[in-house]
Amino acid sequence: MLEVDGLACTRGERCLFEGLSFGLAAGELLHVGGPNGSGKTTLLRALCGLVLPAAGEVRWRGQPVRRLREAFHRELVYLGHRDGIKDELTPLENLQVAAALAGEPVTEARALEALEAVGLDACLDLPCKLLSQGQRKRVGLARLWCSAAPLWVLDEPFTALDVAAVDQLQGRIARHLERGGLAVLTTHQEVELTRRAARHVHLGGEGAAGTARAA
């Protein structure tokens, strides 16, 4: 369903990676690894159509994502390593705004259920500026409990989470895969889910081409 063919991305005049090709089918997880500065976030943004690659193509259901535009974004959840949370809004308001912007508006009852699932039931009425880093992270991750999008692209989703929350998130991603969803993620943390990942992409150091290999 997701295909990458001969992808190359640059930052300024430096090549982050080139010649990167792989495919991801329903029910598969892709773990993107590599040192800092190797282009992991850039690759994820390119997969989402948010970065124009220097060469190559990303296809979804056989069609280039740059042509699909909004139709592709309706089938995608992208969570970057920046939480994107509005300080003045409550967790409920943030979740409902994010869902509406993604074209998947949720009812208040469904949003509350998602926030309770990620352990924020005691913080529902607080503005997010009063939340800890880990709690803010959970506000963003609550989208995964609401979304029916088949493709999840997650940049460092386990950062700032405690052990229980890491396990909970792994379980949510695993259920998404079991239902035929796809997921692409980066993580600096060693988690069971990535050890079981069906596919891995490792991006090399400066100027090195990325390589894709089966796990």
Side-chain angles (χ1 to χ4, degrees):
M1 297 174 67
L2 180 68
E3 301 170 87
V4 171
D5 184 14
L7 203 67
C9 285
T10 60
R11 180 180 296 136
E13 297 183 357
R14 182 168 75 90
C15 176
L16 295 172
F17 54 83
E18 60 185 357
L20 186 61
S21 299
F22 60 85
L24 198 64
E28 288 191 320
L29 169 69
L30 178 73
H31 174 219
V32 179
N36 289 339
S38 60
K40 299 187 296 296
T41 292
T42 299
L43 172 58
L44 266 56
R45 290 178 59 81
L47 296 181
C48 298
L50 301 174
V51 168
L52 184 65
E57 189 170 68
V58 178
R59 294 187 290 270
W60 174 249
R61 302 187 190 276
Q63 298 295 319
V65 299
R66 67 179 183 276
R67 295 180 187 171
L68 294 173
R69 297 181 181 272
E70 291 183 8
F72 172 57
H73 290 153
R74 285 195 295 270
E75 297 198 277
L76 165 73
V77 172
Y78 170 63
L79 297 180
H81 58 83
R82 296 181 180 178
D83 56 42
I85 302 302
K86 302 296 185 183
D87 285 344
E88 68 276 10
L89 301 182
T90 66
L92 175 61
E93 291 167 338
N94 265 291
L95 179 54
Q96 289 187 301
V97 168
L101 290 174
E104 283 191 301
V106 296
T107 64
E108 181 174 325
R110 183 72 186 91
L112 288 171
E113 182 181 335
L115 291 166
E116 290 172 5
V118 298
L120 290 175
D121 45 304
C123 308
L124 296 176
D125 297 325
L126 294 177
C128 285
K129 64 184 177 183
L130 300 180
L131 302 184
S132 69
Q133 185 181 3
Q135 288 170 327
R136 290 170 64 93
K137 186 79 172 185
R138 294 185 194 204
V139 174
L141 292 172
R143 284 185 58 196
L144 302 181
W145 272 258
C146 295
S147 178
L151 176 60
W152 293 358
V153 179
L154 314 174
D155 197 352
E156 297 291 341
F158 301 106
T159 299
L161 297 183
D162 59 28
V163 173
V166 167
D167 288 343
Q168 184 183 41
L169 177 56
Q170 288 192 90
R172 183 68 186 97
I173 295 171
R175 287 192 295 276
H176 174 66
L177 299 174
E178 289 167 2
R179 295 169 182 167
L182 298 78
V184 180
L185 64 82
T186 65
T187 177
H188 283 98
Q189 296 170 243
E190 184 73 17
V191 294
E192 180 64 25
L193 191 66
T194 58
R195 288 195 291 268
R196 301 198 310 263
R199 303 188 70 82
H200 294 269
V201 164
H202 184 83
L203 302 180
E206 184 170 347
T211 59
R213 64 183 186 276

